[in-house]
Amino acid sequence: MATADPKKKKKKRRKKESLEHKRNRILVALAVFVAVYALDELGVLERAFGNPGNVYASFMLFLVPFVIAGHDVLKKAWHNIRHGKAFDESFLMAVATLGAFAMVFFPDTDPHMAEGAAVMLFYQVGELFQAYAVGKSRKSISSMMDIAPDYANIEDAEGNLKQVDPNEVACGSIIVIKPGKRVPIDGTIVEGATQLDTAALTGESIPRHAETGAEVISGCINMTGLIKVKTTKPFGESTVSRILELVENASEKKARTENFITRFARIYTPAVTGAAALLAVGGGIVTGAWPDWILRGLTFLVVSCPCALVISVPLSFFGGIGGASKIGVLVKGSNYLEALAEVDTVVFDKTGTLTRGTFSVAAIHPENGYTESSLLEMAALAESFSDHPIAQSVCAAYTGKLDSKRVTNSGNDSGHGVFATIDGKKVIVGNAKMLAKAGFTAPDCEIAGTILHVLVDTTYAGHIVIADTVKDDAKQTISELHAAGVHRCVMLTGDREEVAAAVSRELCLDEYHAQLLPGDKVERVEKLLASEGAKHKLAFVGDGINDAPVLMRADIGIAMGAMGSDAAIEAADIVLMDDKPSNIARAMRIARKTMGIVWQNIVFALAVKLLILALAALGIANMWLAVFGDVGVAIIAILNAMRAMNVKGA
């Protein structure tokens, strides 16, 4: 039986203990600080030690909560200085608070030990609050890490179940999944029926019924009956593995705004440190009032700490990605979330994206002596070696037995159709373009749908109408995208003009382009991109392997995760795990909400800090106001950032 990595468990346990230890340490420091502050304010120290002995007693007593709360900050600052990385928030806090304590050695100067200890204490409170906030924002994403089961049950020759590592299960093996257990590997049910809970993957709260012949994806929970599943993929290529890989890599791809804040902090921190030193030294030289100007410089340092920006901006993006994951939308990085907020044009593939992608034979029109049965048989034999949804629907419609030995020299003409030799006769099954290549003109058909023309040697045998249905939420998707400010909703399809026109009218699309080959789709997207403004983005939504080039070329590629091909999911920037196009609009609202929160935090933090910095330079702001300028602003920004995780109404 495979178990979770003990090193990871130990690491996770250490982190939890560290957080609890830090919380307890801060509580102890806070209790000591309150006690010392009360003794000082009530005059107990002055009566006990006299004047100025009470000042030094106060110095020693306030040093206790200061060291308890901030010894790790002091260690980090010293470590960074030794390694040439002095200018960070730890350095600012260490210099400012130690400087406040050092003011006791200036004669005729009010002591500032209480402020120094309070700054360090409340800074640590802010850091603790940040740790809890980050932990909560990670929860919606890290909970997905639990979707990977530790083992798979394989039935041996005697009917006994054996627990094995999912990585050791070969493709094509039969695994047994008991009620209440997660599906470890993608596969097809070969025995049994059940209800599947897919909420962890798709955000769908309603269980799905699955029976023999149904495909199941790894990560969902078998709720009711025992089922046997034949695996169709190795564990490493299964849905659960792909999801975990996406989640683990999401934080590596940073948004432009996030990268800007990182670069800004690198320049900002040494700049304000220099400004604080210049303020203290320059003011001291000019006025001679060294204690006053040193205190101004120290207050300037406390206020200038960039915690609010450095913490809240990445936290906002992480919250947005976590919020999107709650509705079954996996965003591969904050850069894609930022780009999604700027989308102005959304381009859709038709089949499997706006339509269900489950084709069925709607009509059979034989000609030249062929019957419906014989025409369908020829088409099914020719299509029997293709895994295209249209080919599968033709084969499914034929109720007889298909003898593959009758078929030789089979192949396909991408985007046009298939060809094969059947019983010595050359058979072509395809669209009007493929028929034209063979020198025939395709007749018109009054039924809307995909038309498969069948040519046997030099005889036109007739045509078969394949119909697809529009997804339930497709029209809602287009309406919501328009309401969200998307100016153009475009459909690209290789299907016939009549079929594309009918779908476009039904969904109220802004434009459509039909009878396109995969290369034509790329060219069409290139033209649409060229017409976009610099501040606007184009998103392409697709599901097929032929959509991979377009998904990569678009500013944002969105793939269908449940029915989509592996190539499409790999090429995409965003994956819809439940194949509902309506979640695109919800994800876009989440992205725009996240960007709004990011800029709110940036403007608020900079505005408050600049105001208090100016007051500190003028000697108006004291250390207590500086605490609000640093810790208070950071906590407010963190609370605001956590709103990105709330997807209600999105």
Side-chain angles (χ1 to χ4, degrees):
M1 171 179 173
T3 56
D5 188 346
K7 291 183 179 179
K8 290 183 178 180
K9 283 189 174 182
K10 188 175 181 182
K11 185 178 180 182
K12 185 177 180 181
R13 187 166 59 248
R14 279 203 306 267
K15 284 186 177 180
K16 184 177 181 182
E17 289 170 353
S18 175
L19 192 61
E20 291 176 353
H21 180 267
K22 185 170 185 176
R23 181 196 64 194
N24 294 335
R25 178 163 54 86
I26 290 172
L27 289 175
V28 170
L30 181 61
V32 174
F33 175 83
V34 170
V36 174
Y37 189 80
L39 291 173
D40 193 29
E41 288 296 308
L42 293 173
V44 175
L45 296 180
E46 186 175 357
R47 289 195 297 271
F49 297 99
N51 198 348
N54 66 312
V55 175
Y56 297 105
S58 177
F59 175 89
M60 296 303 296
L61 290 174
F62 275 118
L63 201 59
V64 175
F66 173 76
V67 173
I68 293 174
H71 66 83
D72 55 335
V73 176
L74 300 177
K75 284 181 181 178
K76 184 179 178 183
W78 175 244
H79 178 271
N80 289 346
I81 291 171
R82 289 178 59 194
H83 291 81
K85 299 177 182 179
F87 298 108
D88 64 354
E89 58 266 27
S90 296
F91 173 79
L92 297 181
M93 283 297 109
V95 172
T97 53
L98 289 174
F101 272 86
M103 296 295 291
V104 73
F105 299 108
F106 286 88
D108 302 322
T109 303
D110 292 334
H112 295 281
M113 292 81 68
E115 288 96 324
V119 167
M120 181 61 76
L121 184 59
F122 289 121
Y123 171 75
Q124 289 287 56
V125 170
E127 290 287 295
L128 183 66
F129 193 87
Q130 171 208 340
Y132 279 120
V134 170
K136 186 174 181 180
S137 70
R138 284 180 180 272
K139 204 170 184 180
S140 58
I141 291 182
S142 62
S143 61
M144 299 193 76
M145 297 301 179
D146 295 331
I147 65 177
D150 293 333
Y151 61 87
N153 286 318
I154 289 186
E155 194 173 42
D156 59 22
E158 298 177 356
N160 298 318
L161 295 183
K162 180 182 178 183
Q163 293 182 352
V164 299
D165 190 320
N167 284 294
E168 298 174 1
V169 179
C171 186
S173 301
I174 304 297
I175 59 175
V176 179
I177 305 162
K178 298 178 181 179
K181 300 297 182 180
R182 290 192 182 273
V183 177
I185 305 170
D186 293 4
T188 303
I189 297 177
V190 294
E191 185 181 322
T194 188
Q195 296 287 324
L196 295 175
D197 178 1
T198 63
L201 301 176
T202 67
E204 182 65 49
S205 59
I206 301 174
R208 296 181 181 180
H209 177 72
E211 56 188 18
T212 301
E215 293 184 358
V216 294
I217 56 177
S218 51
C220 58
I221 299 174
N222 177 24
M223 296 180 65
T224 53
L226 185 143
I227 55 175
K228 294 184 178 181
V229 173
K230 183 177 181 180
T231 61
T232 54
K233 295 178 181 178
F235 178 74
E237 297 175 13
S238 288
T239 302
V240 67
S241 294
R242 295 209 311 269
I243 290 174
L244 295 182
E245 185 178 356
L246 294 180
V247 171
E248 288 168 354
N249 295 336
S251 61
E252 296 178 5
K253 298 175 181 177
K254 294 185 177 181
R256 295 191 309 271
T257 310
E258 199 172 350
N259 282 323
F260 165 74
I261 292 300
T262 302
R263 294 193 301 270
F264 173 79
R266 290 173 185 167
I267 300 170
Y268 169 84
T269 305
V272 295
T273 303
L278 185 63
L279 181 68
V281 175
I285 292 174
V286 172
T287 65
W290 284 95
D292 178 55
W293 285 97
I294 290 174
L295 184 61
R296 293 189 191 189
L298 296 175
T299 305
F300 195 93
L301 278 181
V302 174
V303 180
S304 64
C305 185
C307 300
L309 292 176
V310 175
I311 295 168
S312 67
V313 171
L315 184 61
S316 300
F317 280 114
F318 207 85
I321 293 173
S325 72
K326 289 181 180 178
I327 62 169
V329 178
L330 292 183
V331 183
K332 294 185 179 180
S334 56
N335 53 336
Y336 304 124
L337 195 71
E338 183 179 39
L340 184 63
E342 301 171 359
V343 166
D344 180 68
T345 298
V346 180
V347 182
F348 295 90
D349 172 51
K350 179 180 76 69
T351 306
T353 303
L354 292 174
T355 63
R356 296 183 184 278
T358 52
F359 295 90
S360 59
V361 173
I364 303 173
H365 296 160
E367 293 188 22
N368 298 318
Y370 280 85
T371 64
E372 289 188 3
S373 178
S374 61
L375 177 64
L376 184 59
E377 181 184 21
M378 281 294 181
L381 284 167
E383 297 275 20
S384 61
F385 291 94
S386 173
D387 58 359
H388 193 281
I390 290 178
Q392 293 175 353
S393 68
V394 172
C395 295
Y398 181 67
T399 56
K401 185 177 180 180
L402 294 175
D403 185 1
S404 60
K405 294 179 181 178
R406 296 170 59 189
V407 185
T408 57
N409 302 323
S410 63
N412 71 85
D413 187 348
S414 180
H416 292 148
V418 299
F419 55 85
T421 301
I422 302 173
D423 298 333
K425 297 177 181 179
K426 186 176 181 181
V427 178
I428 293 175
V429 181
N431 58 21
K433 289 182 179 180
M434 193 164 186
L435 205 65
K437 285 184 179 182
F440 286 79
T441 301
D444 294 329
C445 182
E446 69 281 4
I447 301 176
T450 300
I451 309 298
L452 294 181
H453 300 278
V454 182
L455 191 67
V456 181
D457 282 339
T458 57
T459 302
Y460 181 74
H463 57 268
I464 299 171
V465 183
I466 307 295
D468 189 12
T469 55
V470 171
K471 288 184 177 179
D472 295 336
D473 63 338
K475 189 170 184 178
Q476 171 194 346
T477 299
I478 306 304
S479 175
E480 289 182 352
L481 286 173
H482 282 142
V486 173
H487 292 162
R488 287 190 297 181
C489 290
V490 184
M491 182 179 70
L492 305 182
T493 179
D495 214 335
R496 291 188 308 133
E497 175 74 23
E498 304 93 291
V499 177
V503 173
S504 179
R505 284 194 301 271
E506 183 177 352
L507 300 182
C508 301
L509 292 164
D510 298 301
E511 61 181 277
Y512 70 91
H513 302 276
Q515 296 177 295
L516 301 176
L517 296 174
D520 299 330
K521 289 184 180 181
V522 177
E523 291 179 12
R524 184 61 61 178
V525 167
E526 292 279 5
K527 291 179 181 178
L528 291 169
L529 283 167
S531 65
E532 287 288 303
K535 293 184 178 180
H536 298 296
K537 303 293 183 184
L538 179 146
F540 180 83
V541 190
D543 72 313
I545 191 169
N546 61 330
D547 292 327
V550 201
L551 287 164
M552 296 185 72
R553 180 60 191 91
D555 293 315
I556 293 290
I558 304 174
M560 298 292 170
M563 292 180 61
S565 70
D566 290 347
I569 293 171
E570 184 68 27
D573 308 311
I574 296 173
V575 181
L576 306 180
M577 292 309 301
D578 59 0
D579 285 356
K580 288 184 178 179
S582 57
N583 275 338
I584 299 170
R586 296 184 70 190
M588 191 174 294
R589 289 196 292 271
I590 290 171
R592 290 178 177 176
K593 177 182 177 181
T594 300
M595 290 308 302
I597 290 171
V598 165
W599 284 107
Q600 288 166 16
N601 283 340
I602 290 173
V603 172
F604 170 72
L606 289 179
V608 174
K609 281 186 178 293
L610 288 174
L611 175 62
I612 300 179
L613 283 173
L615 295 176
L618 295 172
I620 299 173
N622 58 22
M623 276 282 188
W624 296 108
L625 186 58
V627 171
F628 170 76
D630 175 39
V631 180
V633 169
I635 289 176
I636 292 172
I638 289 169
L639 286 172
N640 192 39
M642 290 174 69
R643 292 194 301 114
M645 292 183 287
N646 184 8
V647 296
K648 291 181 180 179

